[in-house]
Amino acid sequence: MKLMRLGAPGKEIPAVRTGDDTVYGLSDLTSDIDGAFLAAEGIDRIREALASDSLPVLDTEGLRVGAPIARPGKIVCIGLNYSDHAEETGAAVPARPVVFMKDPATVVGAYDQVLIPRGSGRTDWEVELAVVIGRQARYLASPEDTASVIAGYAISNDVSEREFQLDFSPQWDLGKSCETFNPLGPWLVTADEVTDPQALGLRLSVNGEPRQDGNTKNMIFDVAYVVWYLSQYMVLNPGDVINTGTPAGVALGLPDAPYLRPGDRVELSIDGLGRQSQTFAQA
Ligand code: ZN
């Protein structure tokens, strides 16, 4: 199943898209798709409602596609998690996951406008596999125990301002939490539909020019390891999002450093998780 939130910002309607591309409204089941809904076995309840044919078909005509999860409690990001990306940035391949946080308020819809911050000359892109947590995870015993805490997956664009990130502070947060810096979606694809999260192609282009073309099989720390690892140091709660890192091909690593300018159009896709596109504008 593909969970969606449709409508104007702050007024999204929860919905589910099934295998035959029909979209059903979920307003009878929940007011929103958020951590509380996932924690209350929301995905199972959608499955039961679909099986009993009790959901209304939703007319999606003209409805904006919002982020598929409302108000993540936190966004945890893994840096340098693909060896080719570590290499292009001149960083060593890390011995442990590089962990940083991103402001959850940066989340916008898959097709929303993204703002280039004032004073920015180095706004960059990062296509990433996002993991959405469905059950609380603390001190998980092993990476094999992580499947039951993952609700599903989505495309994430971990938009980054490199000067703010790397030159203005020894921590990366300043260049990661600018307004609109985390397009998410269009769907939260439930974990049962993603047979192997380590075999997904991820692609990103700018103005039609291919920039990133990677595969999650090349992650240094795979999804199960990352979720287990994080659970040793923080409590992961339903609705939390983990951005699992980006493959090579960001502007920072390209010879002509083609950072984003107002009017640029960025398109992203991950196998089975749909497509995103954003136009960048000056804040
Ligand atoms: Zn990233």
Side-chain angles (χ1 to χ4, degrees), residues 1 5 12 25 32 48 55 69 93 129 145 163 206 226:
M1 297 185 296
R5 296 171 61 255
E12 292 92 343
D32 212 340
E48 286 160 19
L55 296 174
I69 176 104
V93 171
L129 175 67
D145 294 331
E163 189 177 23
V206 181
V226 163

Side-chain angles (χ1 to χ4, degrees), residues 82-104:
Y82 289 75
S83 50
D84 54 355
H85 173 60
E87 192 177 319
E88 74 174 345
T89 62
V93 171
R96 283 169 166 258
V98 173
V99 178
F100 64 95
M101 295 285 206
K102 187 158 182 153
D103 178 0

